[in-house]
Amino acid sequence: MTPSLDRGRLWWAYALVGFVLLGRTVWAEPAVAIMGEGPGASAAEEGGAPVADLVLPLVAVGVTVVLAGYGYVRRTRRGRERTTPGGGRGGAVQVAPVPDEPDSWALALLAQADDCVRTSREELRFAEARFGAGGVESAASVVQAAAAELAAAFRMRQLYDEGVPADGTARRHALAGIIGRCEEAGRRLDAEAPGFDRLRGLEQRTDDALGVAEARFRELAGRTGAADTLLGGLLTRYSPSASGTVTGSVEQAKDRLVFATTRLNFARQAADRGENAHAAAHLRAAEGAVAQAGVLVDGVHRLAAELDEAARMVPAALTGAEAEIAGADTLRLDVTVGELRARVLHADAALAVVRQEVTSGHPYDPLDVLRRVVRATAPLVTGRTGVLPAAALLTARSATAATADFVATHRSAVGGTARTRLAEAERLLATEGAGMVDLLSADALARTARDLAEQDVRMQGNPYAGTAAGHAGGVAGAVLGGVLLGGADDGGPPASFGGPDTRARRNPAQRLP
């Protein structure tokens, strides 16, 4: 199913596509944001640099891409298509159609590779707790390399969804590049999996690893009760919407811990009978459930801290916004006086609504308030005060982290598109010196990703509803979270460190066609 080229043709494909995309990118008109209307789109319209200023950096990027592609082919025994689109955003052009099969295949591989990287990281942490960072250095390096391949694939997919490249042939090459990156990420993890399994030695002895998992379980059991209390306090201090992203998180954490309790007991019993392979499988399932319970509990504690920080920031943000509006007449923007006046009036009206909400005496959502203040004044921000960029960073980080938690704990249902938007939000936040446009875009992308992920979960539903597994303690949640791989009435085998081939060996039903 995976497209392939011989080494010589692949290098020339890199060279040709790289320079074609470079030319298109340099001379294209400014891009249209994929999320449509929103803060990222409106803010992006304000700050574009002259196209000529981008030519030399883009030439350097294009040459680097071609040379890197050639070097990769020389180093790699297995030829893989890895075409990297140009570094800029293309214009609003007519996008040539591409066959549905490689498009859906690329999305499926993105989701699969993301699952493999996430699961490998989770099991790696349990191994590190036992052997130390030095003991798992090789596996950690492989996971990092696989994550880098995946990040590149996500970036290529994001550009693809934005219409870059536009030519039909180039778009097919881009899809082949995404597929190649995902397969390379999986190959790296699969190659490391046997050594990692030997390091852990779970099939020989589970006692020490069980002790690590049980200690983590006990710590989380106590923190889950504290998170429940904390969530009740949030509902008292703030509006219900403020804690909407963690609604149900405590219940889901308890569900994962119930499942972990069962599997830890099974692991102990199997070890006592000398059934080490069964003990190892139950232990891995327990570790995965404990890891996800940690994500859910940490999310509640993190949101509480973010809401408190946002509440403290609201007065300063309003003052900073008023300063930006007051100095709007000194702005040197490429807009008419009428347009500038319209922006000021819009910002004033939005701030008036926010002030009324904040001073009403009723609970409100401080993160949402900051988001509205930042969006309203973004076209006028000149950096007179640092509070508005700080507010934009807080809201973007909060939205991105909450979406990442949702994807991590519902991964078996979440598709490649939601993960692509999340990866782009994370990339923008990690960009050194990210400005207001990047922060607003990251926030919008993260919120879009959350909507798409929730839609994916609703569409999948509960495949274990009405079955014995559906009534068993936490099995349905474990399958939804990707702790168990599915494909069987009991939820199937557990996920583990490794790539798609490792998963297919443990559960043939997980192999993509």
Side-chain angles (χ1 to χ4, degrees), residues 159-483:
L159 290 172
Y160 179 92
D161 289 343
E162 292 174 353
V164 179
D167 176 74
T169 300
R171 287 177 71 76
R172 291 181 179 87
H173 281 295
L175 288 175
I178 294 167
I179 291 169
R181 294 269 188 183
C182 291
E183 290 183 337
E184 178 64 12
R187 186 195 66 78
R188 289 175 181 268
L189 293 172
D190 281 326
E192 183 67 18
F196 183 76
D197 287 346
R198 287 192 297 271
L199 172 68
R200 297 204 73 190
L202 298 184
E203 278 73 17
Q204 289 74 45
R205 182 181 177 87
T206 58
D207 289 352
D208 292 340
L210 269 168
V212 172
E214 287 169 343
R216 177 66 172 145
F217 171 88
R218 288 191 294 270
E219 182 235 338
L220 271 173
R223 293 187 63 228
T224 301
D228 202 1
T229 302
L230 186 59
L231 185 56
L234 295 180
L235 292 171
T236 301
R237 296 198 305 277
Y238 304 113
S239 66
S241 64
S243 55
T245 58
V246 295
T247 298
S249 290
V250 172
E251 289 73 18
Q252 291 178 59
K254 292 176 179 177
D255 184 71
R256 299 294 195 279
L257 291 177
V258 167
F259 175 82
T261 300
T262 303
R263 292 307 177 109
L264 286 171
N265 288 334
F266 286 168
R268 282 288 183 194
Q269 294 165 9
D272 291 342
R273 293 192 300 267
E275 299 172 355
N276 292 329
H278 288 116
H282 289 307
L283 175 59
R284 284 194 175 98
E287 288 175 341
V290 167
Q292 291 197 11
V295 169
L296 293 161
V297 170
D298 289 344
V300 175
H301 287 273
R302 185 188 61 248
L303 179 63
E306 290 167 348
L307 287 170
D308 290 344
E309 182 180 358
R312 292 190 297 270
M313 193 181 290
V314 164
L318 285 170
T319 300
E322 290 164 356
E324 296 289 354
I325 291 174
D329 58 347
T330 66
L331 289 176
R332 294 183 178 180
L333 299 175
D334 188 19
V335 296
T336 65
V337 174
E339 172 65 18
L340 179 59
R341 181 60 179 165
R343 294 182 184 184
V344 169
L345 291 174
H346 171 75
D348 255 337
L351 290 184
V353 174
V354 168
R355 289 191 206 96
Q356 182 178 6
E357 183 176 342
V358 169
T359 59
S360 67
H362 298 297
Y364 63 92
D365 180 350
L367 282 169
D368 181 63
V369 163
L370 287 183
R371 182 173 287 113
R372 284 185 283 156
V373 169
V374 169
R375 285 180 176 177
T377 56
L380 306 173
V381 170
T382 60
R384 294 182 182 86
T385 65
V387 65
L388 293 179
L393 179 60
L394 176 59
T395 55
R397 280 180 174 170
S398 178
T400 302
T403 300
D405 289 352
F406 186 87
V407 172
T409 54
H410 299 76
R411 68 187 68 167
S412 75
V414 178
T417 302
R419 297 174 195 242
T420 299
R421 303 296 177 265
L422 171 60
E424 181 67 3
E426 292 173 334
R427 187 192 70 83
L428 290 172
L429 282 178
T431 302
E432 185 176 355
M436 285 289 285
V437 171
D438 286 339
L439 296 176
L440 289 166
S441 294
D443 182 60
L445 283 162
R447 288 158 63 82
T448 297
R450 177 64 181 256
D451 290 342
L452 291 170
E454 290 180 348
Q455 179 180 331
D456 288 341
V457 172
R458 288 193 298 269
M459 289 181 65
Q460 174 173 288
N462 180 5
Y464 288 90
T467 67
H471 296 289
V475 170
V479 173
L480 177 61
V483 174

